Every structure is written in structure tokens, then in C-alpha cells.
Amino acid sequence: MNASDSELALSKPLEAGLYIVATPIGNLGDVTVRAVDVLRWCEVIACEDTRVTGKLLKHCGVSTRMQRYDDHASDRQRQNLIDMARSQPVALVSDAGTPLISDPGYRLVRDAREAGVVVTSLPGACAAITGLTLAGLPNDRFLFAGFLPVKEKARGDVLAELGDVDATLIFYETGPRLERSLRAIAKHWPAREVAVARELTKLHEECRTGSAAELAEHYSQFPPKGEIVLLIGPPIESAPDGDPDALLREALEYLSPSKAAAKVSKVTGLDRQSLYSRAVELKSQ
Ligand code: SAM
């Protein structure tokens, strides 16, 4: 894009305020026309890492001043940005994707709003949403839960807490931790369908689906590189052809035998009464 394209896209001078600007998650072609306008015409760009954002700015032909910012910044630094945004346009970007989504910005936005500064958000790439659109899992309800904890106990606690959430779960993950997380998921939810969405928008983009155990096996042989979104289909609904015993066991983790039988019956079409008898048996084992 050249400067004249950009001037055409910007219909009026940029007003004062805080602009939350989403940037690409890999493919620089995903930067929006409006994002380039705002980045070009704002007074300062608050960013996590000036080298990372500098590459994007260079690609877009933008030379606006950058200033480091993250949520550990001092109150004074945050206040300075807010004061500036009262009379000038200030942009916030993160290294990649949508600011505030597992990235800095929450405190800045909260304090800016409290101070009466105009805050606006420019939508764009977000790995969680891109993964959700690719995985083919139910998407009418989803819950984004950030990164799974690294420590085994904390990770197990999170999985237990989310076990009965009737929605597709979305986590951010890293290559070195993926197999361990998949093994933990396999233990908690053997019947749920899982998707690993990797290197989204990049050359080696991949989305692989299966049970957590299958995926753990695959990635133990082919250790994954790059950035990862891990998605887990909702309880039971994502495994209509699953083994009824496995479905019942999973449902019994958080439902009574009668409710578990009703749920599995709805998904599989199997007789509810027989499922109930089996659920009672499984519960007592
Ligand atoms: N704010 C970003 C967003 O909107 O997606 C997320 C930032 S978070 C610090 C970084 C994590 O997002 C990575 O560890 C990975 O889990 C996920 N991620 C970012 N880019 C990705 C990509 N291109 N493909 C898959 N996952 C990605």
C-alpha cells in the first residue's frame, strides 16, 4: 500500500483518543487498511516490542514514533499515555493479533475509560477466532481460556473446572508443551474431539483433528514447531459416534446417572433406560 491509498481510506483527521489496533498473526497481508491509517496518523504507537512492531511499520511504510508499553509498565507511564490520548490520537498494538487477548492493554483501556478518554477498537486478526473458524468444531458457544497452566496440578485444576462447560474450549499453546497438554486432556476427556491449529495464516499452516490421545501420539512422533491454538469440542456432542461407555463415563464426571443417560441418549439416539442402567453400573465400579 502506498501513501495515497492510505490517504484515500482515511476520511477525516484522526481524532484524539486511544485506538486499540489489531495486527496480523503471521501473514502481513492481513493488516487492515484502517489499521495502517491509524498507525500512520496517530501521534505515538504503544507496543510490546519496538523491533517486532518496527517490522510491521516498515512493511506498511509507516514511520510513527513507537513507545514500549505492557501491563507491567509503571502507573506513571500508563498515565502519560492516557494524558496524551486526551488531546492526541494514541495507538496500542501488541506483537501480533488483537491487543488484550492474552496480551497487554487491559489496564490501559480500563484506566483510559475511567478517565473519560475516548477508546475505540479496530478489529483484525486473532488466533483464537482464526483457529475456531478452521477447526470444524461446534462454534455456537465457545470459551477462550488463554494459556493452559504449565504445572500439572494447576493444569488439572483448570481442566476439572471447565469439564462441564457446554461449549468448545479454546486455549493458546506452545510446541514444547503440546504433547503434555494433550495427554492431560486425554485423561480428563477421552471422547471429546480435539483440534490443533498451528502456524495460522503462515506458510506451514496446519489444522489436525482427532481425539486427544491420537493427537498426542502424532505429536510425540512429529514434535510441533511454531504457534498453536488448541481447541476442544463440547462435552459429548463432539463425539456422536463414540463408544457409549466412554461417553457415559465422561458425562458421569459432572452429571448424575439419569442426566448422563439423557445426554448420551440425545447425542447417540440409544435407548435412555438402557443407558441409565449402564450409567448406574459404571458409577458403582
Ligand atoms: N493477541 C494474540 C491474538 O490475538 O491471537 C495472541 C497473543 S498470545 C501472547 C500468543 C499465542 O497466540 C501463541 O503462543 C499462540 O498460542 C497463539 N498464536 C498467535 N499467533 C498464532 C498463529 N499464527 N497460529 C497459531 N497460534 C497463534
Side-chain angles (χ1 to χ4, degrees):
M1 175 182 292
N2 59 39
S4 58
D5 289 335
S6 171
E7 276 155 16
L8 277 180
L10 189 72
S11 53
K12 54 183 180 180
L14 212 48
E15 284 169 12
L18 177 62
Y19 292 75
I20 310 303
V21 181
T23 58
I25 55 170
N27 188 325
L28 292 181
D30 292 335
V31 68
T32 69
V33 172
R34 193 166 159 229
V36 177
D37 277 338
V38 167
L39 295 176
R40 174 168 287 125
W41 300 117
C42 66
E43 194 56 31
V44 66
I45 300 170
C47 62
E48 287 182 271
D49 184 332
T50 52
R51 282 165 309 177
V52 175
T53 299
K55 281 187 197 149
L56 174 71
L57 297 191
K58 191 165 175 225
H59 172 81
C60 300
V62 170
S63 55
T64 307
R65 177 167 71 88
M66 292 178 278
Q67 180 178 320
R68 273 211 59 213
Y69 176 81
D70 61 32
D71 278 337
H72 305 298
S74 66
D75 289 348
R76 193 167 56 82
Q77 275 176 299
R78 189 159 39 252
Q79 196 52 51
N80 283 347
L81 283 172
I82 292 170
D83 289 342
M84 205 185 299
R86 288 181 201 282
S87 56
Q88 293 167 324
V90 171
L92 172 75
V93 300
S94 59
D95 281 353
T98 301
L100 282 82
I101 307 301
S102 290
D103 266 338
Y106 159 68
R107 288 188 184 172
L108 182 64
V109 169
R110 185 196 55 189
D111 292 359
R113 293 180 65 83
E114 254 175 44
V117 166
V118 174
V119 182
T120 189
S121 184
L122 280 66
C126 174
I129 299 299
T130 309
L132 183 67
T133 58
L134 198 60
L137 293 172
N139 55 48
D140 49 338
R141 283 155 61 98
F142 59 90
L143 186 146
F144 171 66
F147 286 91
L148 264 175
V150 183
K151 294 206 170 128
E152 195 179 335
K153 161 92 173 68
R155 190 171 50 222
D157 288 349
V158 168
L159 294 179
E161 185 191 339
L162 297 176
D164 59 354
V165 173
D166 199 3
T168 287
L169 305 177
I170 309 176
F171 296 100
Y172 284 159
E173 192 48 277
T174 64
R177 292 187 207 149
L178 178 66
E179 192 193 330
R180 250 172 296 164
S181 295
L182 286 169
R183 298 226 181 263
I185 291 162
K187 226 162 67 186
H188 281 259
W189 307 316
R192 286 169 77 161
E193 191 178 358
V194 175
V196 173
R198 206 171 59 79
E199 292 290 87
L200 296 168
T201 78
K202 303 184 202 175
L203 189 61
H204 298 293
E205 177 175 289
E206 169 190 70
C207 184
R208 187 171 286 272
T209 55
S211 70
E214 286 163 356
L215 291 169
E217 210 38 51
H218 172 82
Y219 287 111
S220 71
Q221 288 174 42
F222 304 98
K225 291 200 179 108
E227 301 190 283
I228 293 166
V229 182
L230 180 56
L231 303 102
I232 301 155
I236 299 174
E237 278 81 348
S238 61
D241 305 323
D243 166 24
D245 269 12
L247 296 175
L248 278 174
R249 273 200 195 89
E250 190 180 312
L252 285 168
E253 295 268 321
Y254 60 95
L255 293 174
S256 66
S258 82
K259 285 195 174 147
K263 189 146 198 164
V264 175
S265 166
K266 192 169 152 216
V267 175
T268 59
L270 295 171
D271 175 59
R272 183 172 166 171
Q273 194 52 46
S274 323
L275 286 167
Y276 173 71
S277 310
R278 182 67 184 140
V280 173
E281 252 174 64
L282 289 173
K283 185 97 184 166
S284 65
Q285 278 173 9

